[in-house]
């Protein structure tokens, strides 16, 4: 009987142990079934106040599930990013998220299946350098090849560590497939042998980055690498001669020293006596950089809003690889001023971000500020009443003990009075004002690269949804500069394939500025051609295919901005004769001290809770908006940072200053009450307006 009784108990215990072992084994398999790898920044580097890529690679060897990747800062005010991804059995997914950060806050990431965390990384490393530091990317043919830069000679070690221009070596497998994520690079070196292996998405991202303002330095290993790769051939538009061994001589040394930097080393006789295998290079609408043996072997040209520089030789091979002055060669090729390698380090104090200027244009006009003098008078009245007035009249009625009642009564009355004043000054209706800065980029498949600034005024403490249907896009909060960081502390960004949404917290009676950056197919709304008729005479043919009239326009050409007298209704065409020599807006005047000071005062006043209401506002007229596209040319007259650092900075490739300085041509068109995309705000405001500035790079057609 006892034996019969114990047998079921022993059997149950064995089954329980077997089930527990199976459960533990199953958990181990589940954890080992998902590989979750994260690659931060440009090979671990990023610039503060700029976009950088975070590339995720997920391999699922287990059951299919709908996963969600969450990237969040460990501390600080950076946004939280989420991305939904379907993970089928035995599949590998790789995708890139553009991330915007204001400080080296550290990051953590999770891969979730519903509420369950499948994998996680709690301490992701990122070398977040200063926003003014120049970052040069490199997709080299050899691990130890590619560009090098001279060592900086700033007086203090921490200045060299913080501000020295850097080269970051990238890998083809993890190269970003989103052009917005590439915005943090100053330039990119690409070996043609690597270019032929880039995936379609990576090639499209690189091309769009260049057309949107990036600088590509292409080193040709074999001319067939370029001509046999359609996307690269379309971007570069080059003709090559045959590869020939050519005597080096002093041509490269003279060119490297031509940047005006006296610190370039002495000539390298061994290098000068060698021979370099190089092909002749000619670019459409390009200029020659230098020649070897009377053959142009390096050239550069504008492409869209960006630039390509093409070397007809491989600088990762000998004898160039061992040249003692090659660092100076790379510095000039990457457009790094020689002043970066002198003793005086750049100073960023007092530098403002152009986001604040857009905020001064878009913030609600429903809000008024209490002047400081009235605030002081209110404070003085409060002190007088709770002090001498209270004491005198209570003493006169001989009821001094009533101060225990009168004092809290005064506090309550003044609190209600302050609330009433604040209500009268700031209360209003829900408002959304938008300004779209849209680059119409050329190419085989024309696209729009947009930045949609949205200012939300809220009559209550609330969360507001923003977003759009973009395959590539992201949303960030206003950036206040190195010492203020992100201006909105609560922002959550949700990415799905073909869709983006964000939730932003807006406090009561305040405006918050956010920026949506996106890529979308060109709607073909505007067609323009520019023909040069003389040294400063042009003919512009323009067709308006938008649903709204073009209300004003300007042309950037010959280093000048010429305002055009233009009112172009929808569906109409017009031909204009333009003389840039008569333009009052030359480069120095466009970035004049008066305008820079006006913008500076507006940004500083806007960030104060009390003061002059009108002083914190800027009219969103054409020339003000255009000037925001050239922030590096703005001067306040108080810049103590030296020639290396401008008074205003920008993010996301918005700045066209370099394009203007190298003779680029851009047509600016302003359309009122028009948006190229559905509204960024996914809510119904009571008030609001939208404007769009189209920036169209033009190639000039010469007449015989």
């Amino acid at each position: 009987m006892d034996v019969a009784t114990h047998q079921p108990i022993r059997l149950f215990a064995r089954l329980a142990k077997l089930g527990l072992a199976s459960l533990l084994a199953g958990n181990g398999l589940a954890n080992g079934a998902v590989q979750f790898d994260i690659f931060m920044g440009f090979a671990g580097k990023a610039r503060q106040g700029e976009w950088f890529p975070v590339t995720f690679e997920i391999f699922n060897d287990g059951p299919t599930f709908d996963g969600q990747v969450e990237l969040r800062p460990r501390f600080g005010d950076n946004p939280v990013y989420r991305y939904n991804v379907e993970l089928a059995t035995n599949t590998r997914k790789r995708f890139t998220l553009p991330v915007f950060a204001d400080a080296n806050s550290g990051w953590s990431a999770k891969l979730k299946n519903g509420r369950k965390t499948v994998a996680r990384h709690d301490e992701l490393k990122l070398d977040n350098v200063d926003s003014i530091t120049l970052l040069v990317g490199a997709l080299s043919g050899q691990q130890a090849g590619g560009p090098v830069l001279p060592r900086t000679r700033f007086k203090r070690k921490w200045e060299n560590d913080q501000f020295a221009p850097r080269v970051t070596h990238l890998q083809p497998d993890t190269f970003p497939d989103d052009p917005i994520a590439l915005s943090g690079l100053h330039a990119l070196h690409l070996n043609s042998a690597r270019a032929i292996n880039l995936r379609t998405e990576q090639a499209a991202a690189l091309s769009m980055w260049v057309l949107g303002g990036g600088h590509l330095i292409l080193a040709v290993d074999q001319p067939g690498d370029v001509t046999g790769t359609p996307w690269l051939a379309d971007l570069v538009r080059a003709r090559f001669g045959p590869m020939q061994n050519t005597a080096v001589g002093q041509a490269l040394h003279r060119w490297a020293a031509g940047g005006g930097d006296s610190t370039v080393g002495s000539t390298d006789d061994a290098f000068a006596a060698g021979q370099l295998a190089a092909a002749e290079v000619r670019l459409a609408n390009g200029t020659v950089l230098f020649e070897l043996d009377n053959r142009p072997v390096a050239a550069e040209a504008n492409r869209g809003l960006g630039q390509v520089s093409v070397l007809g030789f491989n600088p990762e091979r000998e004898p160039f690889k061992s040249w003692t002055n090659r660092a100076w060669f790379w510095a000039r090729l990457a457009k790094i001023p020689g002043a970066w390698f002198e003793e005086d380090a750049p100073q960023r104090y007092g530098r403002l971000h152009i986001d604040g200027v857009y905020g001064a244009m878009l913030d609600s006009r429903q809000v008024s500020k209490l002047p400081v003098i009235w605030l002081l008078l209110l404070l003085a009245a409060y002190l007088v009443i709770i002090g001498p007035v209270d004491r005198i009249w209570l003493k006169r009625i001989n009821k001094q003990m009533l101060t225990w009642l009168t004092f809290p009564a005064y506090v309550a009355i003044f609190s209600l009075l302050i609330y009433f004043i604040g209500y009268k000054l700031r209360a209003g209706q829900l408002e959304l004002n938008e300004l779209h800065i849209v680059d119409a980029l050329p190419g085989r498949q024309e696209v729009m690269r947009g930045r949609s600034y949205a200012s939300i005024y809220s009559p209550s403490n609330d969360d507001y949804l923003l977003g759009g249907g973009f395959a590539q896009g992201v949303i960030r909060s206003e950036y206040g500069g190195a010492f203020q960081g992100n201006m909105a502390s609560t922002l959550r960004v949700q990415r799905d394939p073909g869709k983006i949404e964000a939730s932003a917290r807006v406090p009561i009676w305040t405006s918050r500025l956010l920026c949506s950056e996106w890529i979308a197919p060109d709607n073909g709304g505007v067609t323009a051609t520019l023909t040069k008729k003389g040294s400063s005479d042009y003919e512009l043919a323009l067709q308006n295919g938008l649903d709204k009239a073009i209300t004003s326009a300007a042309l950037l050409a010959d280093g000048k901005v010429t305002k055009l007298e233009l009112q172009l209704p929808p569906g109409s065409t017009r031909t204009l004769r333009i003389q840039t020599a008569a333009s009052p807006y030359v480069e120095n005047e466009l970035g004049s001290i008066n305008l820079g000071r006006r913008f500076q005062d507006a940004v500083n006043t806007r960030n104060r809770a009390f003061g002059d209401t009108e002083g914190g506002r800027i009219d969103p007229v054409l020339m003000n908006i255009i000037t925001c596209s050239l922030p590096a040319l703005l001067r306040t007259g108080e810049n103590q940072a030296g020639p290396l650092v401008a008074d205003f900075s920008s993010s996301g490739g918005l700045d066209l200053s370099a394009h203007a300085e190298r003779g680029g041509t851009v047509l600016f068109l302003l359309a009122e009450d028009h948006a190229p995309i559905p509204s960024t705000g996914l809510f119904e405001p009571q008030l609001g307006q939208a404007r769009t500035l189209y920036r169209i790079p033009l190639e000039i057609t010469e007449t015989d």
Side-chain angles (χ1 to χ4, degrees):
M1 189 73 178
D2 292 339
V3 174
T5 303
H6 286 294
Q7 281 181 345
I9 297 176
R10 291 173 181 172
L11 180 61
F12 177 79
R14 290 176 181 175
L15 290 174
K17 291 179 181 179
L18 181 60
L20 179 60
S22 300
L23 180 62
L24 293 175
N27 284 341
L29 289 172
N31 290 333
V34 176
Q35 176 186 340
F36 185 48
D37 296 323
I38 304 171
F39 305 91
M40 298 289 294
F42 301 102
K45 297 182 178 63
R47 292 168 54 204
Q48 295 180 19
E50 191 52 272
W51 295 103
F52 65 87
V54 177
T55 301
F56 298 87
E57 185 175 285
I58 307 172
F59 177 69
N60 179 28
D61 197 26
T64 298
F65 68 95
D66 292 328
Q68 183 183 73
V69 172
E70 180 182 272
L71 180 72
R72 63 169 57 243
R74 294 175 58 205
F75 50 88
D77 292 335
N78 290 316
V80 176
Y81 297 87
R82 295 187 176 95
Y83 185 83
N84 292 332
V85 56
E86 181 181 349
L87 297 169
T89 302
N90 199 30
T91 59
R92 185 182 301 274
K93 292 287 183 72
R94 185 188 290 122
F95 56 91
T96 300
L97 286 183
V99 173
F100 191 92
D102 67 342
N104 190 11
S105 60
W107 298 84
S108 64
K110 296 179 182 178
L111 174 62
K112 303 173 71 175
N113 180 4
R115 295 187 177 182
K116 178 182 178 182
T117 299
V118 178
R120 65 188 302 158
H121 294 274
D122 289 328
E123 296 186 5
L124 296 171
K125 303 297 183 182
L126 184 66
D127 180 12
N128 209 332
V129 301
D130 197 274
S131 60
I132 65 176
T133 302
L134 302 180
L135 199 60
V136 178
L139 270 175
S140 307
Q142 302 176 16
Q143 186 68 23
V148 293
L149 296 175
R151 294 177 62 88
T152 53
R153 300 176 299 154
F154 302 141
K155 297 175 183 178
R156 301 173 182 85
K157 181 181 182 301
W158 71 267
E159 292 174 336
N160 290 281
D161 294 339
Q162 187 172 11
F163 299 126
R166 289 165 166 80
V167 175
T168 177
H169 293 275
L170 311 176
Q171 298 300 319
D173 288 345
T174 57
F175 187 78
D177 55 9
D178 192 314
I180 300 174
L182 291 170
S183 300
L185 289 178
H186 174 71
L188 174 68
H189 160 66
L190 174 65
N191 189 299
S192 65
R194 289 290 193 187
I196 61 178
N197 295 321
L198 291 179
R199 301 191 309 273
T200 302
E201 299 82 5
Q202 294 172 321
L206 195 156
S207 296
M208 204 173 303
W209 170 73
V210 173
L211 296 174
H215 180 199
L216 174 66
I217 302 172
L218 177 65
V220 179
D221 185 64
Q222 294 293 331
D225 295 342
V226 181
T227 58
T229 307
W231 70 267
L232 190 57
D234 289 344
L235 177 65
V236 174
R237 291 156 53 198
R239 291 185 292 110
F240 299 99
M243 279 281 185
Q244 296 180 10
N245 287 327
T246 307
V248 175
Q250 300 298 331
L252 270 69
H253 179 85
R254 287 194 297 269
W255 186 82
D261 198 318
S262 59
T263 59
V264 176
S266 58
T267 59
D268 186 337
D269 294 334
F271 175 68
Q275 289 195 334
L276 195 66
E280 182 178 340
V281 178
R282 297 187 184 276
L283 298 181
N285 300 322
T287 57
V288 175
L289 294 178
F290 54 84
E291 296 181 346
L292 290 179
D293 220 3
N294 296 322
R295 293 190 309 140
V297 296
E300 64 183 13
N302 289 336
R303 294 293 180 258
L305 296 172
Q307 185 180 39
V308 294
S309 301
V310 181
L311 300 178
F313 57 91
N314 190 345
E316 300 174 37
R317 294 182 177 177
E318 299 294 353
F320 188 94
K321 187 177 178 180
S322 300
W323 182 25
T324 56
N325 290 320
R326 69 185 178 116
W328 297 105
F329 177 91
W330 281 112
R332 186 178 180 195
L333 191 62
K335 314 293 185 186
I336 301 176
W340 277 98
F341 307 106
E342 296 177 356
E343 292 185 353
D344 293 329
Q347 302 296 324
R348 63 180 182 176
Y349 303 109
R351 195 174 190 228
L352 301 174
H353 197 274
I354 205 67
D355 279 5
V357 183
Y358 284 115
M361 292 183 187
L362 296 177
D363 283 352
S364 174
R365 270 44 177 176
Q366 299 182 82
V367 176
S368 297
K369 294 181 179 180
L370 181 67
V372 175
I373 186 63
W374 287 103
L375 176 66
L376 295 176
L377 290 175
L378 189 64
L379 178 61
Y382 174 71
L383 294 176
V384 169
I385 290 175
I386 67 172
V389 170
D390 181 71
R391 181 174 179 274
I392 290 171
W393 82 272
L394 288 180
K395 184 177 181 181
R396 180 169 296 179
I397 65 174
N398 198 24
K399 300 287 185 180
Q400 290 88 340
M401 291 299 294
L402 291 179
T403 190
W404 296 101
L405 299 177
T406 58
F407 187 83
Y410 297 146
V411 172
I413 291 171
F414 271 89
S415 297
L416 292 173
L417 177 62
I418 292 172
Y419 180 86
F420 178 76
I421 293 173
Y423 176 80
K424 286 295 185 181
L425 291 175
R426 291 181 170 268
Q429 297 176 297
L430 178 61
E431 183 176 351
L432 174 65
N433 296 318
E434 294 181 289
L435 175 60
H436 307 274
I437 311 297
V438 180
D439 298 335
L441 303 180
R444 179 176 295 184
Q445 295 180 339
E446 294 185 347
V447 297
M448 295 189 298
R449 166 73 162 93
R451 302 160 187 87
S452 298
Y453 282 92
S455 179
I456 304 172
Y457 169 79
S458 177
S460 61
N461 293 313
D462 208 345
D463 294 312
Y464 295 93
L465 289 179
L466 303 98
F470 306 112
Q472 293 173 315
V474 75
I475 297 176
R476 64 175 178 88
S477 58
E478 176 187 350
Y479 183 62
F483 298 100
Q484 296 187 37
N486 288 323
M487 304 294 282
S489 58
T490 7
L491 180 65
R492 292 177 174 83
V493 181
Q494 175 72 48
R495 278 279 300 271
D496 293 284
K499 182 182 178 182
I500 178 173
E501 287 186 355
S503 173
R505 185 74 172 176
V506 183
I508 186 173
W509 300 343
T510 61
S511 292
R512 282 290 183 266
L513 183 72
L514 298 109
C515 181
S516 169
E517 304 207 19
W518 45 268
I519 308 292
D522 193 348
N523 55 15
V526 179
T527 303
T529 58
L530 187 66
T531 305
K532 193 166 188 177
K533 297 292 185 178
S535 60
S536 61
D537 295 341
Y538 296 88
E539 182 178 273
L540 174 66
L542 188 62
Q543 179 180 4
N544 181 12
L546 303 175
D547 59 350
K548 295 289 185 178
I550 295 173
T551 56
S552 52
L555 177 69
L556 169 63
D558 300 330
K560 304 174 183 179
V561 175
T562 305
K563 191 172 181 180
L564 310 179
E565 295 297 329
L566 181 67
Q567 287 284 337
L568 195 61
S572 60
T573 60
R574 188 173 173 187
T575 300
L576 301 174
R577 295 298 297 266
I578 304 167
Q579 289 186 330
T580 60
S583 171
Y585 301 103
V586 299
E587 176 184 314
N588 292 334
E589 293 176 359
L590 185 64
S592 65
I593 289 177
N594 290 334
L595 192 54
R597 283 178 177 169
R598 171 72 184 92
F599 283 7
Q600 181 188 51
D601 292 343
V603 173
N604 291 333
T605 303
R606 170 179 175 262
N607 291 330
R608 299 189 187 109
F610 303 96
D612 178 18
T613 301
E614 292 301 320
R617 293 172 178 171
I618 298 173
D619 292 330
V621 296
L622 177 68
M623 292 310 300
N624 285 342
I625 302 174
I626 290 177
T627 304
C628 290
S629 293
L630 304 164
L633 300 181
L634 275 172
R635 299 295 174 194
T636 65
E638 303 173 358
N639 184 9
Q640 305 298 320
L644 296 178
V645 181
D647 292 341
F648 287 86
S649 62
S650 64
S651 305
L654 183 70
D655 193 352
L656 301 183
S657 301
H659 186 68
E661 290 175 334
R662 61 176 179 259
T665 304
V666 180
L667 177 64
F668 298 97
L669 302 173
L670 182 63
E672 305 278 353
D673 299 320
H674 165 74
I677 58 173
S679 175
T680 305
L682 303 180
F683 54 92
E684 291 294 333
Q686 282 78 45
L687 300 173
Q689 55 185 314
R691 295 178 177 87
T692 300
L693 178 73
Y694 286 95
R695 311 191 306 184
I696 306 174
L698 298 176
E699 289 194 358
I700 300 173
T701 302
E702 301 280 352
T703 57
D704 296 334

